[in-house]
Amino acid sequence: MDGGTALSVDSSADNSVDSSAAVEAVAASVAVLASLTGAGADSADPLRTLADACLDGLAEVARLEARTAALKAKLATDYVRTARALAPPAASPQDRTAHELALVAEVACVLTVSERTAGALLSDSHALTTALPLTLAALGSGTISWQHARIIIDETDTLDPAGTAALEAHFLDPDAPKPARGCPAGDLVPSRFRTKARTWRERHHRVSIEKRHAAKAEDRRIEYVPDRDGMAWISAHLPAATAAAIWNRTTTAARALQNPDETRTLAQLRADLTATWLLTDHSGNGVHDGGRGTGGTGAGGAGRVPSPRAQVLITVPVLSLLGATEEPATLDGYGPIPPSIARQLITDGADSFHRVLTDPRDGAPLEIGRTSYRITKAQRQWLRLRDGKCPFPGCNNHSLDNEADHLQAWAHGGTTGISNLAQPCPKHHRLKHRTAWTPTTASKNSPPGWTSPSQRHYPSEHHDWEPPHWPEHIPITDTQPGPQPRPDEEPPEMPPDPFPHWHSFLDTHPWPACDMDDTDNLGWPTPLDEPLSEGVVFQSA
């Protein structure tokens, strides 16, 4: 036990020396940059001197970034070792996994990055400080960039120690038996360096490519990444032959649809065909959805693509749904989308509607209270509106995938009100129950923040609620609030409902003909004598 303790102390001391050297290298780069400030003032050709100084400064900044990356890798590795030494022994494999999740979450919150990014940083840092000494030294000296170091980490990931050392020496050690020809690795752009490193790896890997391909094929997947302006990316990680076949078939089918009357580009046709094939059964022919599409058929539109039949959750202002305003709707797990898409999804058949009463002063939903342990369907919908995703900082898990949870346990006096509920994803639900990560209190409109084992507090994301827009051509009754109450007084009642018979609005304001072709099958709720709801949440499944 004493020997193990001494070994840990010695290792920490060595790491501290390495980190100090990295700090000194960063400071040296900063000093060089400071010396370049103001260059050219006293020169015979000040513009040329200034231009040269700018280029020298850019080169030094690149070296500074590399040295900073090396320092970050060393600090991350030191933190992991220290945190593991401070943690109590794990009682089970589940506890050990939870401790690792807590460690990654702490780094993610400190750096304000996702846990996936933090986990990748810790993994890369471990590889650099334990198995790639030449790469870490080159990074610390600024001769290669972080991108070059990441390429070496990737290409040596499945190599044995001898193969890893041989690849590293081939590109970074000029005295190696067979060094790489041509310019040094750091002088190659990352894409070209990756090609060279991958070629060397394929030629010298001890495991056949057949076996490696079979193992990699187990990692095939599809990923979804939201983008701006109501768009998103779908990417697939597939075997190369499969991906090439999909691309070639899509291109061939898209070219077959091109004609003088077709306004879509080849890229748009590829996208529309792919979406149609994924959203329809195999009996469909071509790109056809009965003349209705989610985004138009002209240039810049989404093409004649069928509406999705998978489960989606969309919140749309009721006046926007009726075509009186153009406020965007909100797609769960994505964000704002054009109201025309929401109208089209309803026209194509929404399975259910949920009316949501909102505060007209700020647009925030009003709280729904419950006194039983069981969380109702209405409360789950409320949590989706309030949180939109897992409330843990940086987590992007969609609300439809998450679990409703009591912040203060029911057995410990917690209530089943919205202010005591959250919807963490399964991973962060386990993190809450198995580690010292604890959520803070929530409110009716704000998800909980989190406190880490090191007692650092990290807030969760909040919705930027805004009051609904009221069309200028529709009269509105007096809704000016009265005098503000004193702090010791109860707040006044809400102003009179400006639109108590909202359902009569349908008789004088029909659905827009350009977007709504079939209003007989909308399944609109029976009109009730209730206050106007600002939003309508509907599901399409």
Side-chain angles (χ1 to χ4, degrees):
M1 190 70 176
D2 294 339
T5 303
L7 179 62
S8 176
V9 171
D10 291 343
S11 177
S12 300
D14 292 340
N15 293 330
S16 178
V17 172
D18 292 341
S19 297
S20 299
V23 171
E24 292 175 359
V26 171
S29 288
V30 173
V32 171
L33 288 174
S35 68
L36 295 173
T37 304
D42 301 327
S43 173
D45 189 354
L47 289 180
R48 170 52 56 191
T49 303
L50 178 60
D52 292 339
C54 289
L55 292 176
D56 292 339
L58 288 173
E60 190 60 38
V61 166
R63 286 188 286 272
L64 174 61
E65 290 174 344
R67 290 167 177 167
T68 303
L71 175 59
K72 181 187 286 188
K74 293 174 182 177
L75 292 174
T77 303
D78 289 350
Y79 168 72
V80 170
R81 291 171 177 167
T82 305
R84 286 173 177 167
L86 290 172
S92 66
Q94 291 79 9
D95 287 343
R96 186 179 300 108
T97 300
H99 289 164
E100 292 298 315
L101 288 176
L103 187 151
V104 172
E106 183 82 70
V107 173
C109 290
V110 165
L111 297 179
T112 320
V113 298
S114 68
E115 289 175 80
R116 177 180 294 184
T117 301
L121 171 64
L122 295 180
S123 176
D124 294 343
S125 301
H126 177 75
L128 282 173
T129 55
T130 58
L132 298 169
L134 294 180
T135 305
L136 182 61
L139 186 65
S141 65
T143 57
I144 65 171
S145 69
W146 175 249
Q147 290 176 286
H148 291 83
R150 284 283 297 110
I151 290 170
I152 294 177
I153 294 170
D154 288 343
E155 298 303 331
T156 58
D157 183 37
T158 58
L159 294 177
D160 57 20
T164 298
L167 185 147
E168 192 181 33
H170 178 73
F171 290 104
L172 300 178
D173 185 2
D175 298 326
K178 295 182 179 180
R181 297 180 180 179
C183 60
D187 292 343
L188 292 170
V189 296
S191 60
R192 293 308 309 156
F193 177 62
R194 181 179 293 276
T195 299
K196 294 189 69 173
R198 182 176 297 164
T199 301
W200 189 96
R201 174 182 178 273
E202 296 296 346
R203 289 176 177 173
H204 298 84
H205 206 295
R206 292 188 176 183
V207 181
S208 69
I209 192 172
E210 291 289 347
K211 294 181 179 180
R212 286 185 279 122
H213 172 72
K216 272 294 183 181
E218 297 297 323
D219 297 333
R220 60 192 182 277
R221 61 186 180 276
I222 292 180
E223 294 184 350
Y224 165 78
V225 179
D227 199 7
R228 299 182 183 92
D229 302 324
M231 303 296 287
W233 291 95
I234 290 288
S235 60
H237 184 59
L238 300 168
T242 303
I246 291 173
W247 177 260
N248 292 339
R249 182 188 176 192
T250 305
T251 301
T252 301
R255 291 191 184 281
L257 291 176
Q258 288 184 313
N259 59 69
D261 298 327
E262 178 57 68
T263 60
R264 289 171 289 177
T265 65
L266 183 64
Q268 291 171 337
L269 286 169
R270 285 196 193 101
D272 293 347
L273 281 167
T274 302
T276 301
W277 290 342
L278 290 174
L279 293 173
T280 59
D281 56 23
H282 296 290
S283 62
N285 295 318
V287 186
H288 181 67
D289 67 334
R292 300 176 302 185
T294 58
T297 60
R304 296 177 289 273
V305 179
S307 297
R309 303 303 299 168
Q311 184 183 31
V312 294
L313 183 68
I314 294 180
T315 306
V316 54
V318 67
L319 293 179
S320 179
L321 183 64
L322 297 173
T325 68
E326 290 300 321
E327 289 186 77
T330 301
L331 174 62
D332 183 54
Y334 173 81
I337 62 172
S340 59
I341 295 181
R343 299 183 198 122
Q344 185 64 53
L345 290 171
I346 293 182
T347 305
D348 289 346
D351 289 347
S352 62
F353 293 83
H354 303 276
R355 299 183 59 194
V356 179
L357 182 65
T358 63
D359 190 332
R361 294 166 295 187
D362 57 9
L366 301 177
E367 183 168 1
I368 302 174
R370 291 294 185 272
T371 57
S372 64
Y373 174 79
R374 186 179 181 86
I375 299 174
T376 66
K377 183 177 180 180
Q379 287 176 304
R380 293 181 187 275
Q381 298 286 2
W382 186 276
L383 289 175
R384 292 175 182 175
L385 285 173
R386 187 193 71 180
D387 298 355
K389 64 176 191 62
C390 171
F392 194 87
C395 184
N396 290 318
N397 274 17
H398 299 169
S399 60
L400 291 174
D401 300 332
N402 300 341
E403 309 164 359
D405 182 46
H406 289 78
L407 299 177
Q408 181 181 3
W410 175 268
H412 297 160
T415 62
T416 310
I418 294 298
S419 298
N420 192 47
L421 294 174
Q423 50 170 13
C425 66
K427 180 173 72 173
H428 293 117
H429 197 172
R430 292 193 300 270
L431 192 73
K432 169 180 176 285
H433 289 288
R434 290 186 174 273
T435 72
W437 277 94
T438 55
T440 60
T441 56
S443 70
K444 65 179 183 180
N445 296 325
S446 300
W450 289 75
T451 301
S452 73
S454 64
Q455 298 306 304
R456 288 178 171 84
H457 176 70
Y458 304 100
S460 184
E461 296 179 32
H462 291 189
H463 278 295
D464 295 325
W465 298 113
E466 294 183 4
H469 296 289
W470 193 269
E472 295 181 358
H473 64 280
I474 300 178
I476 184 170
T477 59
D478 183 15
T479 59
Q480 295 298 323
Q484 294 297 319
R486 295 194 303 271
D488 56 343
E489 290 182 344
E490 292 292 329
E493 295 184 0
M494 295 292 294
D497 183 4
F499 203 5
H501 303 291
W502 64 272
H503 54 276
S504 62
F505 186 85
L506 294 176
D507 298 332
T508 57
H509 295 77
W511 299 88
C514 60
D515 293 325
M516 313 300 290
D517 297 329
D518 183 7
T519 59
D520 296 333
N521 300 318
L522 291 177
W524 190 258
T526 303
L528 301 173
D529 293 329
E530 299 178 358
L532 172 67
S533 297
E534 188 275 330
V536 175
V537 181
F538 66 90
Q539 290 179 308
S540 176

